[in-house]
Amino acid sequence: MTTFQQQKQQILRLFEEEITIAKNQKDTNLENHLKEAQKHLAEEKIYVVVCGEFKQGKSSLINAFIDETNLFPVDVKITTNLVSTIAYAEQEEITVILGDIGQGQAKQINRSEIAEYVTEQKNKSNQKKAKLLMIESPNPYLKDGLVLVDTPGTGSLNAEHTALTYSFIPNADAILFVSDIQAPLKVEDLNFIKERILPHCQNIIFVLTKIDAITNYQKIIDSNREKLSNSLNLSPEQISLIPVSSKAKQEYLKYKDPEDLEESHFLQLQEKIWSLVKEQRGQILLLKALTELGKALTQIKRPLEVEWQSYQQRSQQELDQWEQDIKKIQKQLQDLLQNNAEWQTHLRDGLEIIRLDAQNEFHNGFVQLQRRSTKYLDDPAFLNNPQQIAILLESDIDAMMTELSKKLNSKAATLYGQIEERSGLNFNPFAATSLEPEHAHFALDEIQIKKSSVDEKALTFGRSGLSNMSGLGFAGSLVGGIIGGLIGTFLSPGVGTVGGAQLGAAIGGGLGALAGTTRGVIEGVQQVAKQDQTLAKQEISKILRQYLEDSQRLCMQTLNQSIKSLEKFMRDELTSQIKRQKESYDKTLQSLQQARKLSQEQGSQRANQLQTPLKKLMQMQQEVEQLAIAVTTQSENRQPKAKPQTSLKSPPKEPVTVDAHADYGDWADG
């Protein structure tokens, strides 16, 4: 098990513990919030797309990777002609999507029927109109959210399937580009990587299959590495190239000989995939979950800690000051809930700037698409197969909108963080407490936290949930048009619970309407192709120009509507956060006021009762802090550093000294 998987399981366990505490305290709102965050982490998907030319061993590779012997057809005569996905579920279920673009219907099948749909030999020229195969399996290799996408060979027998492959690539967290050790990389391969993969996903692992067929394959590895280095303008060290033997892995599964496993090199491949995932989106997912845990712990711990401190020989003057501070914070938070609060204006103005920037980039994108259309028409191969131009343009539009969605998401997350800072909501969840000992009191004005680099990184990634663009939440028009809402049902449970996925889903859903338009264009250019070839280019150009104009109008409408939806989401999310903060201080005030009514003897007894839960919360908080440091550590072998002191800037007044490191009594370890 890799570090990412271990850390994810630790975080899920911490969620269980916090949910139990919230349940015991009868805090239903907090309990539901934690369950939602836990569910999102547990169900979040990591998409790895497997692509390459025909008969390179992609299906055999996937079978071997997940310890399957016959899930995907692998006979030497078999050619995969369909995009297939495989994800985790407690019960196996296999679904094939059938029908024309925009009219996809789901059909349940069993394993023995897979070849009837996914192979060229048994579904020649895709007579069954299969669009996508989706497998859900209780396979343990997929349990941590890994989704594998098996694609047809590039330059496909079916132009729609090639374009569907292109639609998955911009949404991939990593790409496995597969080539046969006996078939050196060709110019077409290098062009596909450079033009179709690298602009959207830089996390590429180059896999050389069938190494068992050659005794000395190092020269071929060196040759491929040199070709990739020259073509992609990367240093050889930047290229991840792993040779594997699916045959050796299958031998290991049959006879359990460790030498077969070692010779297969599949352990290195698995480690590399998870290492890439951990360094990229996996880190974001984990830090976002840790941020939610940290905030919830502060919310649970604050009332108990303030109550405990009130029993520690505090003067009446000190306790009076504490009450005044808490009431002022309550007033500040109540003001933030008003419709005329400053942060709402900041949100509206900030999103307007983001919208204008997005529109400018959007228009520039369609200018580039027009130029690409002309380039396609200048290629005789495309002119003789004009329907492929329409499909490629559609996938180009998908890719452009996907990239625009990601940029929108990133800018929205930055704006969200700025609003948190200005509103005083940005309490550091990785600090030992929001009320630092001897150096802080309740914040009345804008809160400024001097964060360590670890804290800053964690807050940046985790503060809002907007920094997550979930895999296929924005599936694009081709995928969206083929299967409509099914993509969310079968591939992305839980998607839509965070802003990034919500934004992507809105754009992807809107683009689904583009698929029907594409079908009409395909039929139109096919008719032109049957006419006089001297007029074909001119006529096809007119059809494609109109198609791009229609697509631009549709995409602009979708973009504007998506930004409106994003504004509502951010406003609701910030309002929810303010309410949670206020509830926490309401409970803190109530706890303090009740404590002041107790006699000295009763207070002493109550202080003793608080020792066990406070120690438990402190231990959990330290574990969250250590995990946050570990996740942000670049090298997995690097030891976590001690967290530096955190201080709060606040008005000059008598501090409230709620000591996070106080001795709560003689507690037993364990």
Side-chain angles (χ1 to χ4, degrees), residues 216-282:
N216 184 4
Y217 49 80
Q218 188 58 47
K219 289 184 179 179
I220 299 175
I221 292 176
D222 293 340
S223 173
N224 278 3
R225 191 183 298 276
E226 183 179 0
K227 288 180 181 179
L228 290 166
S229 176
N230 294 334
S231 175
L232 306 181
N233 196 27
L234 297 171
S235 67
E237 294 76 20
Q238 291 178 285
I239 296 170
S240 298
L241 201 159
I242 299 178
V244 300
S245 169
S246 300
K247 180 180 178 181
K249 178 65 181 293
Q250 293 293 350
E251 290 291 308
Y252 168 73
L253 295 178
K254 192 180 296 184
Y255 301 111
K256 302 300 179 184
D257 185 343
E259 288 188 10
D260 288 330
L261 179 60
E262 184 177 349
E263 291 174 4
S264 75
H265 294 179
F266 269 83
L267 290 180
Q268 292 93 315
L269 178 59
Q270 291 164 3
E271 187 65 33
K272 185 61 182 178
I273 289 174
W274 283 112
S275 175
L276 255 185
V277 166
K278 190 262 180 186
E279 291 171 5
Q280 303 295 325
R281 198 160 67 90

Side-chain angles (χ1 to χ4, degrees), residues 507-569:
I507 289 178
L511 284 177
L514 184 61
T517 304
T518 306
R519 170 55 61 186
V521 173
I522 291 172
E523 293 172 354
V525 295
Q526 284 175 328
Q527 293 300 317
V528 171
K530 296 175 183 177
Q531 299 174 7
D532 188 341
Q533 288 296 304
T534 59
L535 300 175
K537 185 174 180 179
Q538 183 179 0
E539 292 299 314
I540 292 171
S541 178
K542 290 180 182 178
I543 294 173
L544 293 179
R545 188 182 304 114
Q546 184 62 51
Y547 169 65
L548 286 174
E549 289 175 0
D550 292 342
S551 300
Q552 186 169 3
R553 282 193 295 272
L554 174 61
C555 290
M556 178 56 74
Q557 292 171 5
T558 300
L559 179 63
N560 287 333
Q561 186 57 48
S562 298
I563 293 176
K564 288 181 181 178
S565 298
L566 181 61
E567 179 180 1
K568 181 181 184 303
F569 170 84

Side-chain angles (χ1 to χ4, degrees), residues 252-426:
Y252 168 73
L253 295 178
K254 192 180 296 184
Y255 301 111
K256 302 300 179 184
D257 185 343
E259 288 188 10
D260 288 330
L261 179 60
E262 184 177 349
E263 291 174 4
S264 75
H265 294 179
F266 269 83
L267 290 180
Q268 292 93 315
L269 178 59
Q270 291 164 3
E271 187 65 33
K272 185 61 182 178
I273 289 174
W274 283 112
S275 175
L276 255 185
V277 166
K278 190 262 180 186
E279 291 171 5
Q280 303 295 325
R281 198 160 67 90
Q283 187 182 69
I284 295 174
L285 295 176
L286 297 180
L287 287 173
K288 188 158 62 65
L290 286 167
T291 301
E292 292 302 322
L293 285 170
K295 287 180 178 180
L297 275 171
T298 298
Q299 187 174 339
I300 294 169
K301 185 181 168 199
R302 182 187 290 122
L304 299 180
E305 194 163 41
V306 168
E307 182 185 359
W308 185 86
Q309 283 284 355
S310 70
Y311 301 132
Q312 308 307 306
Q313 299 180 349
R314 301 293 179 183
S315 68
Q316 291 301 312
Q317 183 177 1
E318 285 180 302
L319 297 177
D320 287 343
Q321 185 62 59
W322 283 21
E323 282 202 35
Q324 290 179 26
D325 287 347
I326 295 172
K327 288 177 180 177
K328 287 178 180 178
I329 291 178
Q330 288 177 310
K331 175 63 166 58
Q332 181 189 32
L333 292 168
Q334 185 61 48
D335 290 344
L336 290 174
L337 291 172
Q338 302 305 312
N339 291 331
N340 60 350
E342 182 182 354
W343 69 264
Q344 300 208 30
T345 301
H346 186 192
L347 173 63
R348 189 166 51 251
D349 293 346
L351 279 173
E352 177 61 17
I353 293 172
I354 290 173
R355 185 182 67 82
L356 293 173
D357 289 344
Q359 286 182 344
N360 183 55
E361 189 164 345
F362 175 88
H363 288 299
N364 290 337
F366 266 91
V367 169
Q368 295 300 319
L369 286 169
Q370 190 66 253
R371 293 172 181 170
R372 190 168 295 180
S373 172
T374 302
K375 181 181 176 182
Y376 290 150
L377 280 171
D378 289 337
D379 188 328
F382 282 140
L383 192 58
N384 291 328
N385 189 17
Q387 66 269 24
Q388 191 169 14
I389 299 178
I391 292 174
L392 289 176
L393 280 175
E394 184 184 28
S395 67
D396 290 337
I397 294 171
D398 288 347
M400 186 202 76
M401 293 298 288
T402 293
E403 293 302 318
L404 186 56
S405 297
K406 291 177 180 178
K407 291 179 181 179
L408 273 173
N409 176 75
S410 177
K411 291 178 181 179
T414 300
L415 175 62
Y416 192 104
Q418 291 172 350
I419 293 172
E420 279 189 321
E421 293 279 0
R422 288 193 179 187
S423 303
L425 292 171
N426 196 16

Side-chain angles (χ1 to χ4, degrees), residues 40 288 405 408-409 412 416 464-470 474 495-506 562 565-566 569-570 573:
H40 179 66
K288 188 158 62 65
S405 297
L408 273 173
N409 176 75
Y416 192 104
S464 66
L466 289 169
S467 55
N468 170 53
M469 291 300 291
S470 179
F474 40 89
V495 167
T497 59
V498 294
Q502 188 180 57
L503 171 63
S562 298
S565 298
L566 181 61
F569 170 84
M570 291 176 70
E573 191 73 8

